[in-house]
Structure formats: C-alpha cells, structure tokens
Amino acid sequence: MTDALKRLSEEGVAIWLDDLSRKRITSGNLAELIDQQHVVGVTTNPSIFQKAISQGDGYDQQLSDLAARRVTVEEAIRMITTADVRDAADILRPVFDATGGQDGRVSIEVDPRLAHDTHATVAEAKQLAWLVDRPNALIKIPATEAGIPAITEVIGLGISVNVTLIFSLERYRKVMDAYLAGLEKAKERGLDLSQIYSVASFFVSRVDTEIDKRLDSIGTDEAKSLKGKAALANARLAYEAYEEVFSSDRWAALDKAQANKQRPLWASTGVKDPAYKDTLYVDELVAPNTVNTMPEATLEAVGDHGQISGNTIKGTYDQARSEIAAVEKLGISYDEVVQLLEDEGVEKFEASWTDLLKSTEAELKRLAPSEG
C-alpha cells in the first residue's frame, strides 16, 4: 500500500465507498476501511442493495421476521435498506462529529420509479429521512427535470440531500441553483443553515463509455486521439461551474447565514475500459472540497498504486473546453449523449429496483410461516 489515499484526503478530497451490505457492517469491514483506508462516507443505490440482498444469507433473520408480519414487499425493502443505512451511519458517526457534519455521511436513494414525479419524490425523501432518523444520512434525489424542484423543497425542509445522476453541465447548474433556492427557503423558515448539507453527484466514466463508442465507430486517427478525454473534461468544467456559483453574490448572502457549500461528488469512478489506468478518474480529478465515491476495487487500486500529485483540475478549463468542442466537431452531440446517459441511468436503477422487488418477494415467500 502507498500513502495515496492519505495524500488524496490531504488534498481536500473526501473518500467515500460506493457500496454497502449487511455483511460489510457486521463483519467489521466498514469500520476497518474507515480506520485504515481513509474512508469517510458511504453511498448506496438500488443496484448495490439488489446485489447485497440477493447474495448470501445475511438478511435471512430480518426477512423471516418481515415474512411473519406479512408486510408488503415494498415495506420489506425499506425496512431492510434503512436498517443498513442506519447501522452504517452509526459506524460513521465519529467521523460526522469530527468533521462538523461534512463527512461521515451515508446516502440512501428515493424509489427510482418516482424519478419523474416531483411531489412523490418529496414525500419519499421526507419518509426516508424519518425512517433512517440519523443526522448523517443523505437522501439521494435524481437530477431529472422533476427532481430539480424536489431538491429545492427537500433542502427547504432542512433535509440534507445527495443529488444523483448528473451528467450535463447545464443540469448541474440547475442543481446548484435548486440547492441555493432550497437554502433560501430554509432561511425564510428560520431553520439553521449550518445543519443542512448537500453533495452533487456528477457521473464520470459513463461519459467516456458512450463517447468512446461513438469515436470508435468514426474510426479516424483524430477520433481515436480523443478517446478517454471527454469524461475528465466534463467533470473539470463542472468544477469550474462550482467555483463560479459558490463565489457569487447570491452565495455570499447564504454564506453569511452559515450555509455549507454543495460539494461536487465524482461518481461512477470505476474505469470501464481496461485500456485505461484503473485509477484514472481519481488521479485526474483532485481538487479541494470534492468527494470521490469509489467501488472497493478502485479504492484498493488507488491505495496500491494511485498517483496523487496535487490539484489536477486547476488550470485545465481551456483544454477541457477544447476537448469537448473537438468531440462535437466530429458530429457527436454532447447534449444528446448526456440526455441519453441520464435516461439510461434512471432506467438502470428502475431495473435494479424491479429485480430487488422480485428477489425480496421470493425470499419473503420462502421464509413465510406455514398456514395453520
């Protein structure tokens, strides 16, 4: 192991683990990662929970109890997932206290089937915050068109939010605007802004996966030379937008009221193309006041051979703009790609949720008490 994870933390990048399971909690593995690998937060999503619940017998006792109570499959899933998030939040509570609430966070997602329903998303976020009942929980709301006003409303109620599935720079600006509007609502209601936190999860590797595929189909030397550049360029321009918004006059007024900046979070940072260095989306996205949420394989790779050489975003904005422009010049539409990725992201989480429903329902039937 190198000191790369320590150096990453020292550069102002919070290291969060993009995974959670009952086994990780009960085995002491999560506590070990916090203690030894500089992990200061956890993110979850429907795919992670579907994988966790469908593997092994770690949930059998709780499922058996839920089956005996004859709860609905939706209720069973919420009881199981919120129990994991609550336990993980308790393990991370010392980090939460030590960082004044900035880290030590655990995220849980609203039902992805509600991604296009603002009112239902707000209602679900309130319910999840109540069920988890931990100050270090973050409620994940997707950055869909319907999700934007939901973010404002939920932040305005004093509930901390992880905004997820952000791919486009235009949508990211709307997310930051929604956060500021939510803080302004919270301020009007007399809430303590210092207790409200948010991160904005900007997805990285999927941008390269989609654009590289299109560059390959073009097949020219110019096209091939642009492979593996769009995702980093997109993320770096997102950080530029973050710096701009959180140095504005509008922000200054909220800053005076003790509000917290909404940190950019680099999500989907596991490399999909084996031709790329497995720490690419960590090494090249180092900047203060950011979060990088990594699958365990990426966390281990960074710990083993990551190359953390200071801020790798500062001074890159002009180059990033030229790389995005070069991709567009070849006929690849940035707007079309990012919209496609958002649509696919929602669909993938919906599919995982459906799989989770089916496998949980099968387990409830298997463990149900016999009649009579």
Side-chain angles (χ1 to χ4, degrees):
M1 297 293 286
T2 68
D3 281 333
L5 292 167
K6 181 173 182 282
R7 287 203 299 276
L8 190 61
S9 298
E10 289 168 351
E11 289 292 338
V13 180
I15 299 165
W16 291 8
L17 177 71
D18 193 26
D19 190 56
L20 187 63
S21 67
R22 186 74 46 92
K23 185 178 180 183
R24 196 181 283 286
I25 291 164
T26 57
S27 68
N29 172 262
L30 178 58
E32 189 178 284
L33 291 174
I34 295 163
D35 186 49
Q36 298 177 15
Q37 306 276 40
H38 304 278
V39 168
V40 293
V42 170
T43 48
T44 67
N45 62 45
S47 302
I48 286 169
F49 278 127
Q50 192 274 328
K51 182 181 172 188
I53 293 170
S54 63
Q55 293 179 352
D57 57 3
Y59 296 89
D60 275 9
Q61 183 57 60
Q62 189 179 9
L63 279 162
S64 181
D65 290 344
L66 291 164
R69 290 173 48 215
R70 294 178 172 80
V71 303
T72 65
V73 64
E74 281 89 354
E75 186 182 351
I77 287 168
R78 277 309 179 208
M79 292 301 103
I80 291 165
T81 57
T82 54
D84 277 2
V85 168
R86 197 160 41 245
D87 288 345
D90 288 344
I91 293 168
L92 278 154
R93 184 60 189 263
V95 177
F96 174 80
D97 292 337
T99 59
Q102 179 157 264
D103 287 307
R105 294 282 178 174
V106 188
S107 299
I108 184 168
E109 192 133 5
V110 297
D111 184 333
R113 297 172 299 178
L114 308 177
H116 302 296
D117 185 331
T118 302
H119 180 70
T121 294
V122 172
E124 171 95 339
K126 287 158 67 177
Q127 173 74 356
L128 282 174
W130 178 83
L131 275 173
V132 175
D133 192 28
R134 293 295 185 272
N136 48 333
L138 287 172
I139 308 304
K140 288 180 85 173
I141 296 175
T144 55
E145 286 287 356
I148 297 298
I151 293 157
T152 295
E153 188 56 39
V154 172
I155 290 289
L157 294 170
I159 296 169
S160 295
V161 172
N162 175 344
V163 184
T164 187
L165 289 176
I166 309 171
F167 295 94
S168 91
L169 294 165
E170 181 188 0
R171 187 62 57 82
Y172 177 45
R173 285 186 179 275
K174 287 183 179 177
V175 165
M176 290 188 285
D177 182 71
Y179 175 60
L180 298 186
L183 289 174
E184 287 158 355
K185 274 194 171 192
K187 187 179 175 186
E188 284 170 19
R189 289 171 174 153
L191 299 179
D192 181 356
L193 300 194
S194 73
Q195 300 304 302
I196 304 171
Y197 285 82
S198 183
V199 292
S201 296
F202 202 87
F203 279 55
V204 184
S205 66
R206 294 185 196 180
V207 174
D208 271 344
T209 301
E210 183 60 33
I211 288 181
D212 283 1
K213 184 172 68 178
R214 298 180 185 213
L215 291 168
D216 277 335
S217 71
I218 293 168
T220 63
D221 288 345
E222 183 185 5
K224 288 175 183 173
S225 73
L226 289 168
K227 285 183 66 178
K229 293 185 175 176
L232 289 174
N234 198 37
R236 286 165 169 172
L237 292 174
Y239 192 79
E240 180 187 40
Y242 156 78
E243 287 186 311
E244 181 187 311
V245 169
F246 288 98
S247 59
S248 65
D249 291 342
R250 185 182 181 190
W251 169 249
L254 291 163
D255 189 37
K256 275 186 191 169
Q258 309 299 309
N260 300 291
K261 291 179 180 178
Q262 181 187 55
R263 287 183 294 172
L265 178 152
W266 312 126
S268 182
T269 54
V271 171
K272 306 286 195 294
D273 187 336
Y276 299 152
K277 188 182 176 190
D278 55 3
T279 60
L280 175 68
Y281 302 123
V282 180
D283 294 351
E284 298 298 331
L285 290 174
V286 178
N289 214 32
T290 58
V291 180
N292 196 310
T293 183
M294 310 176 204
E296 190 168 20
T298 303
L299 180 74
E300 288 175 355
V302 174
D304 183 63
H305 52 264
Q307 295 179 316
I308 309 304
S309 54
N311 189 324
T312 47
I313 292 181
K314 189 178 168 115
T316 63
Y317 303 144
D318 288 343
Q319 182 188 348
R321 264 187 287 277
S322 70
E323 285 167 349
I324 296 289
V327 167
E328 288 223 292
K329 195 177 172 187
L330 291 174
I332 297 170
S333 166
Y334 172 85
D335 289 340
E336 184 206 330
V337 167
V338 291
Q339 187 59 55
L340 173 72
L341 290 171
E342 179 189 308
D343 294 342
E344 286 182 349
V346 173
E347 286 167 12
K348 283 175 183 172
F349 282 169
E350 280 185 2
S352 295
W353 196 263
T354 300
D355 289 344
L356 180 54
L357 285 166
K358 287 177 182 172
S359 56
T360 303
E361 187 172 33
E363 288 297 287
L364 289 170
K365 283 181 180 170
R366 179 177 71 83
L367 296 164
S370 55
E371 297 293 330

